[in-house]
Each structure stands twice: as C-alpha cells, then as structure tokens.
C-alpha cells in the first residue's frame, strides 16, 4: 500500500487533506466573519482549525488566496439557499423573486459572519478577491437578465439597457443588505426584503 493509500484513523491521505481544508475554511469563517480579515493571521487560522501552520500552506499560498476560498464557500451557501427557495416557489415570477430574495437576505443576516465576509470583508481589497467579487455580482445580474427576458419576452429592453439595469439592481440590493447587516439601516427585515 502506497503512502497516499495508507489509512490513518480510517481515512486515506486525500480524505485527510480534504478534511483539514474544510476545517481551515470553517476557521476562516469564524475568524474573518467575526474579527475581520485584517486581524486574522495564518497562525490563528491554523490554531482555530486544530492543525499546524504548514497545513494551511498545503492548501493556500497565503491569506489573500484563503480569503477568496472562504468567500467562495460563503457565496455557495447563500446561492444554494436562494436558488432552492426560488425553485420551490412555484411558477409565479413575483413569488419566485420574493422567495429567492428572502432566502438571500435571511441566509446572510441569520449568520452575521456570512454577511461580513460576502458584503464587507471582500470589498475594496483589490486583487483576486475583488475580481471574484465582481464576477459573482455579474453572475447575479445575469440571472436577473435571464428572468427578465423570460418574463418580458419581446417587450424586454435592449441587451445593454437590461445589463445595466440588472447590475444596478444587484449593486443596490447588495448595498442595502450590507447597510442592514452593519446596523446602518434601521428597518424591519421584512421591509428590507
């Protein structure tokens, strides 16, 4: 049996690596989501995950790459909740939109760590995280474009107008939820939705 195939505590090397990566990501959610990225160190992440620092570098080249991975995990959680709600809402577009938006807002605000990572810690940092954040915002806008085309059919505005409108809507929604999560928007959550 090769080293990679050898079992330790019932798991092979690949499974142990993946389990350590998941522990690191959970530690990142806890730390970045509470004390923030600037106060989170590699040593702190590894300690919270219960692994040595070297295991951090087994998966990530540094904190910037790690932030992108934690951000992606948060986005996946939020998107899954929103899409599942949207798909289970029936065929009425307004009900679908409300269900998806409700799940989006509830998922982000029920766990303040998620909101902090997706809406605050990922903003204005430049580099890979800013590129990834912009890509995610465009993906949300493209989903809205698709829905608008289905709803409006031949009455849909031209492609450029639709693209700008959906990006504006996503940006405004993101800002409102960020303000709500920060405590800068004092409204009832149902009113926000």
């Amino acid at each position: 049996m090769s080293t990679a195939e050898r079992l330790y505590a019932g798991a092979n090397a690949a499974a142990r690596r993946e389990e350590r990566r998941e522990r690191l990501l959970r530690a990142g959610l806890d730390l970045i989501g509470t004390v923030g990225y600037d106060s989170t160190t590699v040593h702190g992440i590894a300690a919270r995950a219960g692994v040595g620092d070297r295991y951090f570098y087994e998966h990530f080249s540094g904190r910037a790459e790690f932030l992108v991975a934690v951000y992606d995990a948060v986005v996946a959680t939020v998107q899954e909740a929103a899409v599942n709600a949207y798909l289970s809402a029936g065929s009425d577009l307004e009900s679908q939109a409300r269900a998806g938006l409700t799940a989006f807002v509830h998922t982000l605000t029920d766990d303040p760590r998620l909101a902090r990572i997706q809406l605050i810690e990922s903003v204005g940092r430049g580099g890979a995280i800013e590129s990834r954040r912009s890509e995610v915002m465009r993906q949300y806008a493209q989903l809205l474009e698709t829905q608008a085309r289905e709803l409006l059919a031949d009455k849909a505005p031209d492609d450029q107008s639709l693209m700008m409108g959906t990006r504006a809507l996503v940006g405004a929604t993101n800002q409102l939820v960020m303000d709500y999560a920060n405590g800068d928007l004092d409204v009832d959550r149902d009113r926000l939705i």
Side-chain angles (χ1 to χ4, degrees):
M1 181 178 281
S2 74
T3 303
E5 296 169 346
R6 189 173 304 140
L7 297 181
Y8 179 80
N12 67 23
R16 290 191 310 273
R17 267 192 308 279
E18 184 56 31
E19 191 270 335
R20 282 191 298 268
R21 185 179 191 283
E22 289 303 314
R23 286 172 39 204
L24 288 162
L25 290 173
R26 283 193 304 273
L29 173 65
D30 287 341
L31 291 171
I32 298 169
T34 56
V35 300
Y37 177 73
D38 293 333
S39 297
T40 300
T41 65
V42 168
H43 182 71
I45 295 163
R48 177 69 60 99
V51 301
D53 292 4
R54 75 181 180 99
Y55 290 112
F56 177 91
Y57 292 106
E58 176 183 53
H59 298 285
F60 309 102
S61 62
R63 288 182 341 119
E65 183 181 337
F66 181 71
L67 177 59
V68 173
V70 172
Y71 173 81
D72 281 344
V74 168
V75 167
T77 298
V78 173
Q79 285 179 343
E80 181 180 3
V83 168
N84 286 342
Y86 168 82
L87 292 175
S88 63
S91 60
D92 176 274
L93 185 64
E94 183 176 343
S95 297
Q96 291 171 345
R98 180 168 292 280
L101 185 59
T102 298
F104 175 82
V105 170
H106 278 259
T107 303
L108 283 172
T109 59
D110 285 348
D111 185 344
R113 300 172 307 168
L114 300 179
R116 182 168 184 168
I117 291 167
Q118 183 167 330
L119 304 173
I120 299 163
E121 296 297 328
S122 63
V123 177
R125 297 205 176 269
I129 189 64
E130 194 64 37
S131 295
R132 181 66 182 122
R133 184 179 164 281
S134 292
E135 181 183 342
V136 167
M137 298 288 278
R138 284 190 302 274
Q139 288 171 351
Y140 280 126
Q142 288 167 350
L143 176 63
L144 292 178
E145 283 182 54
T146 300
Q147 292 172 325
R149 281 191 182 90
E150 288 176 14
L151 174 68
L152 300 173
D154 60 341
K155 295 179 183 148
D158 64 89
D159 289 347
Q160 191 174 51
S161 294
L162 189 56
M163 179 269 297
M164 290 188 301
T166 57
R167 287 186 185 185
L169 182 59
V170 167
T173 300
N174 208 53
Q175 185 66 47
L176 285 170
V177 176
M178 181 174 25
D179 288 348
Y180 178 83
N182 274 337
D184 295 332
L185 181 61
D186 187 20
V187 296
D188 180 81
R189 188 162 65 173
D190 290 335
R191 174 82 169 126
L192 174 66
I193 293 166

